[in-house]
Amino acid sequence: MTRDALRERLSGSVLVFEGAIGTMLQEAAPEHGAPELLTVERPDIVEGVHRAYADAGAHVVQTNTFGGSRVKLEAVGLADRARELNLAAAKLVRNAVGGRALVAGDIGPTGKLVEPLGDLTFREAYETFREQAEALAEGGVDFILVETMSDLREARAALLAVRDATDLPVIVTMTFDENFVTPTGTDPATAANVLTSMGAFAVGANCSTGPGAMLEVVGRMAQVTSAPILAQPNAGLPELIDGKTVFHLGPSEFAASVEKLVTVGAAMVGGCCGTTPVHTETLVTALAGARPIPRRVPRALRLSSRFRTVEIGREFPFAVVGERINPTNREDLTNEILDGKTEIVLRDGRAQVDAGAHVLDVNVGVPGVDEAAVMPRAVQALENALGAPLSIDSVTTAAFEASLEALAGKPLLNSVTADPAKLDEVLPLAARFGAGVVCLALDESGIRSSAEERVAVLRRIVESADRHGIPRDHLIMDCLTLAVSAEQERVPETLRAVAAVSNELGLPTVLGVSNVSHGLPDRSTLNTSFLAMAMASGLDAAIMNPLDDAMMGVVRASSVLTLRDRDSASYIRENMKRRKKRKGGADEPGPPDDESFEARLRRAVMDGAVHGIDGLVDGALEDGLEPLAINDRTLVPALEEVGRRFEKRECFLPQMLLSAETVEKAFRKLKPLFPKVEAADAKGTIVLATVEGDVHDIGKNILASVLESHGYRIVDLGKNVPATTIVEAARANEADVVGLSALMTTTVTQMPAVIRALRDAGLRSLVVVGGAVVTQRFADSVGADGYAKDAASAVGVLKELLEDR
């Protein structure tokens, strides 16, 4: 099926996808193990589920391949059968439904975290997804559904792999919690922007919540993309009653709630956990004759990090692109880049974001440096620590490509000229990864004199972008700022060109403002005056120094005067903040060189500065600080503060994991220097396991990393662990605590069995339970000693339990 054919199908009606498959298969064959294996060993059962949904009137039925990637199948010893199982599943469902329904080739997450959050590389994720997509396409599916993704970077790897493997349309859905973010901190608008920019036919959400909470997710996606949206909620939130998992939304209630999702923008709907063919049949009846609602999305260049999206265009606030991460005339930053560290990069990035920068420009152009190796490290550190979208400032195509693989979001490539050779290098990358592009009004003849000539050059770049399949709203035009000291007559032409681009091409504009004052005294006055004039001419963004108060003042004032700041709301809010700061007498921070090593170590932990922590620890030791004092008074308190911020939703999983890794790296360096009695003294021994029948262990792996960085001894038994193995490990390791994890509603019932086995064995180990479907009420009902919602809360729970003991 082509994208046009699927789009045509959606123009006439809302498509209804099937409901849950896994739970039905689990109930039909509870002792069988991997659901994917049923396709070849019990095809009658799988075909029966597919037929049931087709009989219920589902417009789309999915293959039984949610866990069919090579990486996921490796956990159950089936990695070498990945292609076979996916191919068989596609053929089986095609045979089962005939022509009564479309067939979606289902691809779920690998179950591992992609670097830097875990040890799975982007390339490994890409390869496993590509193998799966090729087999599904060969088996005859109509399109590919990448679903239940929690990590935006893994979703990007899957989308890229599918697009390379087949021309079939690709739909990508992610899973969001009650705070409307994925477990790794991505909001709905950001997910939609990144994935549709990379070529997803449609985006959406599934699992995690009921239809009520999903209304907000769909609504936010609909504000930033005109692509179709798929919503597949659970039948409410699960609850364990008398040993059985119960979802409280019956078919009629579920259908009534899902109808509301269509009114906020969903063009495709279906069910996830807790839904059955009866839910599907009721939903099909309720939506008979329903059509997707039309919606208008304001045109803009949308740039994203993992955590947020910035919109640039005439209908949106003026965007400040921070220019400070640039080694030109900066010996300290140059030396850091040469040493492979990121402390100054993170410090300068944070200062600019705090000062009001919306996007950070990153330049690591030092002579002799391999930018393709250095740039990815810098942008990855910035994205995960600070969350601002990034502009990759380089003349090296290899640096662009490496950085595009390293990031989770949608960055800006700075830049491309009208030189055909340059266009043929950069634009294919921008198209492949869905990046934004800074287009310079520059060609083989240099910078043209008149505004008309510069616009003509930019028009050539736009036409080339069209040929490469790059949407025009991925482009931003730079009409080039020239030094007034050398070419005074050309400066007014730059302003004329800005206005012409806005009026004739309808595209956003950006300028490197500070270039105008080069070679003259009192540069700030010239810069601010030029910025005000440029904003009056329609400029949408400036690459500038946000630490210059005068420049930021012009941005705020001109935004009011050019109607970008409606009702002067931002101007008033910022003014009140500054007045409050002055009234409080807050001192300006001193030069970074005057900071103590304790402060720098604390900041490194808060920023997750893994690459710079060793040097800071060495410096602190040389400065006379005791190893134990560094750990107990600086590193651990900083990590605890990260945990508190995580609980308040002030930071997200990537920051917490990188902070934990930073502390763990510092601890490894300090540990040999501790007194021997301390070196062997862990806070406690924790045995961790995902219960039998459950092969999901991302949450458990995150917990292990965080607890280890807090000084606990961890014995990780892995996933799908029988109760007898857990009991034996608890006894052999004299475990203080046994931590049990379960993600599936069908396996959470193993937890009380493990608790009984531990008690029957006479072990005094405390038991803490957690996982996506586990609640405090469930923990209390099965006799657990504690419940941990996530890794951050687990630290506090364990501390309290062990202190009480």
Side-chain angles (χ1 to χ4, degrees):
M1 173 173 264
T2 66
R3 293 170 67 99
D4 288 342
L6 185 53
R7 189 176 291 109
E8 177 65 24
R9 179 72 182 269
L10 282 168
S11 68
S13 63
V14 172
L15 287 184
V16 177
F17 282 53
E18 66 180 18
I21 296 179
T23 49
M24 293 182 68
L25 294 177
Q26 186 82 15
E27 290 170 2
E31 306 300 326
H32 199 275
E36 289 73 23
L37 198 56
L38 286 170
T39 298
V40 293
E41 295 188 350
R42 290 296 307 275
D44 57 313
I45 292 177
V46 180
E47 188 169 348
V49 172
H50 292 324
R51 288 185 184 278
Y53 278 114
D55 291 343
H59 305 136
V60 179
V61 177
Q62 298 165 209
T63 57
N64 175 36
T65 52
F66 177 80
S69 70
R70 175 176 292 271
V71 171
K72 188 82 171 190
L73 290 172
E74 186 177 17
V76 289
L78 298 172
D80 60 342
R81 299 184 67 181
R83 184 180 183 282
E84 171 202 349
L85 294 176
N86 281 276
L87 185 61
K91 292 181 177 179
L92 180 68
V93 67
R94 174 61 72 194
N95 180 67
V97 303
R100 292 184 295 162
L102 298 176
V103 175
D106 194 7
I107 295 178
T110 61
K112 291 189 174 184
L113 289 169
V114 179
E115 292 179 335
L117 309 184
D119 57 6
L120 185 68
T121 68
F122 185 88
R123 184 53 52 179
E124 288 169 339
Y126 168 89
E127 293 296 345
T128 193
F129 288 131
R130 178 161 184 163
E131 176 186 39
Q132 190 175 8
E134 287 174 343
L136 290 170
E138 184 180 342
V141 301
D142 294 298
F143 59 89
I144 302 292
L145 172 63
V146 176
E147 65 162 323
T148 326
M149 288 287 170
S150 60
D151 176 9
L152 187 56
R153 190 156 182 246
E154 183 178 24
R156 290 177 78 243
L159 176 55
L160 195 68
V162 175
R163 288 185 60 212
D164 286 348
T166 175
D167 292 329
L168 295 175
V170 192
I171 300 174
V172 186
T173 64
M174 301 196 74
T175 179
F176 298 87
D177 63 21
E178 66 278 6
N179 296 300
F180 315 120
V181 293
T182 69
T184 54
T186 300
D187 64 273
T190 293
N193 181 52
V194 171
L195 296 169
T196 55
S197 294
M198 283 188 67
F201 171 81
V203 290
N206 75 300
C207 203
S208 295
T209 66
M214 201 169 281
L215 278 170
E216 183 71 20
V217 174
V218 172
R220 294 187 187 185
M221 286 186 169
Q223 292 177 348
V224 299
T225 180
S226 58
I229 297 174
L230 167 63
Q232 292 178 291
N234 295 337
L237 295 177
E239 186 177 359
L240 197 71
I241 299 177
D242 297 330
K244 294 185 178 181
T245 303
V246 176
F247 288 86
H248 293 289
L249 284 183
S252 296
E253 294 173 291
F254 179 77
S257 298
V258 171
E259 280 187 89
K260 297 176 183 177
L261 290 168
V262 176
T263 66
V264 296
M268 299 170 285
V269 293
C272 202
C273 301
T275 59
T276 66
V278 180
H279 287 79
T280 300
E281 185 175 16
T282 307
L283 184 57
V284 169
T285 301
L287 291 175
R291 301 177 67 175
I293 62 169
R295 60 183 191 271
R296 175 190 174 273
V297 179
R299 187 171 182 177
L301 167 63
R302 294 179 172 88
L303 303 175
S304 299
S305 67
R306 183 191 290 275
F307 307 114
R308 75 181 71 133
T309 293
V310 171
E311 296 172 301
I312 303 175
R314 65 172 63 187
E315 295 186 43
F316 297 95
F318 189 80
V320 174
V321 182
E323 68 180 5
R324 293 282 300 158
I325 304 175
N326 190 316
T328 303
N329 297 323
R330 294 190 59 188
E331 184 178 356
D332 59 345
L333 182 54
T334 296
N335 290 334
E336 177 177 90
I337 290 170
L338 290 170
D339 292 339
K341 300 176 182 177
T342 57
E343 182 188 2
I344 297 174
V345 166
L346 287 169
R347 182 195 73 199
D348 286 0
R350 185 173 296 282
Q352 292 181 96
V353 170
D354 290 346
H358 305 97
V359 179
L360 295 176
D361 190 71
V362 187
N363 185 310
V364 295
V366 173
V369 162
D370 180 5
E371 287 192 41
V374 174
M375 183 70 86
R377 182 184 303 149
V379 296
Q380 201 170 70
L382 286 164
E383 180 181 59
N384 288 310
L386 305 183
L390 302 174
S391 167
I392 305 169
D393 191 346
S394 179
V395 297
T396 307
T397 306
F400 282 152
E401 184 168 15
S403 299
L404 288 167
E405 283 197 3
L407 291 171
K410 173 185 175 180
L412 189 62
L413 301 184
N414 187 8
S415 54
V416 68
T417 70
D419 178 357
K422 190 70 173 177
L423 290 170
D424 288 341
E425 286 182 2
V426 176
L427 293 185
L429 283 177
R432 178 173 168 77
F433 288 93
V437 183
V438 176
C439 305
L440 301 183
L442 179 69
D443 63 9
E444 307 92 313
S445 300
I447 302 174
R448 301 302 181 98
S449 299
S450 71
E452 291 78 10
E453 289 175 310
R454 294 188 208 179
V455 173
V457 170
L458 292 172
R459 199 183 298 275
R460 283 162 46 199
I461 299 177
V462 173
E463 291 169 354
S464 182
D466 289 342
R467 290 192 294 272
H468 283 87
I470 299 173
R472 294 196 175 191
D473 57 11
H474 289 199
L475 309 176
I476 187 166
M477 306 290 109
D478 187 340
C479 298
L480 296 175
T481 304
L482 302 174
V484 70
S485 60
E487 299 178 280
Q488 193 168 3
E489 301 81 5
R490 289 195 180 189
V491 173
E493 292 301 307
T494 296
L495 300 177
R496 287 184 59 236
V498 167
V501 166
S502 180
N503 294 328
E504 297 175 22
L505 299 182
L507 294 174
T509 53
V510 64
L511 288 174
V513 174
S514 60
N515 292 341
V516 75
S517 62
H518 184 73
L520 291 174
D522 192 11
R523 296 188 63 183
S524 182
T525 299
L526 281 169
N527 292 342
T528 53
S529 299
F530 179 68
L531 177 59
M533 296 171 69
M535 290 183 68
S537 298
L539 188 70
D540 299 295
I543 301 173
M544 54 178 273
N545 180 10
L547 305 182
D548 186 327
D549 286 341
M551 294 280 283
M552 292 302 290
V554 166
V555 170
R556 290 189 291 271
S558 295
S559 292
V560 172
L561 299 174
T562 57
L563 307 183
R564 289 181 183 271
D565 182 6
R566 292 290 178 177
D567 301 320
S568 308
S570 296
Y571 184 85
I572 294 170
R573 184 170 58 249
E574 185 61 29
N575 186 267
M576 291 178 67
K577 282 172 53 180
R578 294 167 67 83
R579 287 176 62 187
K580 185 176 180 180
K581 182 178 179 180
R582 286 196 297 268
K583 186 176 180 180
D587 295 329
E588 292 294 322
D593 290 343
D594 293 344
E595 281 189 322
S596 65
F597 275 106
E598 291 98 323
R600 294 173 67 186
L601 282 165
R602 175 182 172 81
R603 190 175 65 235
V605 173
M606 301 293 288
D607 288 342
V610 178
H611 299 296
I613 194 66
D614 279 350
L616 290 176
V617 170
D618 289 337
L621 292 171
E622 292 171 5
D623 209 40
L625 296 180
E626 292 294 326
L628 278 176
I630 294 172
N631 186 70
D632 296 344
R633 298 177 192 173
T634 302
L635 299 178
V636 172
L639 187 59
E640 289 174 345
E641 175 62 22
V642 173
R644 284 190 288 272
R645 292 188 180 187
F646 179 83
E647 290 180 343
K648 295 178 182 178
R649 313 300 291 181
E650 293 174 0
C651 72
F652 298 99
L653 184 61
Q655 290 107 320
M656 188 174 69
L657 285 176
L658 291 170
S659 293
E661 185 181 351
T662 301
V663 170
E664 188 177 346
K665 189 175 182 181
F667 182 77
R668 288 198 301 268
K669 194 172 188 69
L670 291 169
K671 188 175 180 180
L673 304 178
F674 291 167
K676 289 186 179 179
V677 64
E678 294 286 351
D681 184 22
K683 290 182 178 179
T685 296
I686 317 293
V687 170
L688 296 178
T690 299
V691 296
E692 187 172 16
D694 202 317
V695 295
H696 303 86
D697 65 349
I698 285 184
K700 175 187 62 62
N701 295 342
I702 292 168
L703 178 62
S705 176
V706 171
L707 292 181
E708 198 164 33
S709 67
H710 277 270
Y712 293 96
R713 174 175 172 252
I714 303 300
V715 179
D716 189 346
L717 302 181
K719 52 198 170 188
N720 191 24
V721 184
T724 53
T725 303
I726 296 172
V727 171
E728 292 168 4
R731 178 186 289 112
N733 291 280
E734 298 181 354
D736 297 288
V737 177
V738 172
L740 302 177
S741 174
L743 182 72
M744 300 167 62
T745 57
T746 53
T747 58
V748 71
T749 52
Q750 291 293 322
M751 287 182 170
V754 176
I755 293 173
R756 286 194 300 271
L758 288 166
R759 302 295 180 250
D760 291 346
L763 297 177
R764 296 183 64 251
S765 304
L766 299 170
V767 179
V768 176
V769 296
V773 297
V774 180
T775 63
Q776 181 68 62
R777 182 174 175 178
F778 171 77
D780 294 339
S781 71
V782 299
D785 299 288
Y787 160 68
K789 180 181 179 181
D790 47 46
S793 64
V795 174
V797 170
L798 289 177
K799 184 177 181 181
E800 183 176 344
L801 286 174
L802 293 177
E803 284 179 352
D804 288 345
R805 168 163 285 194

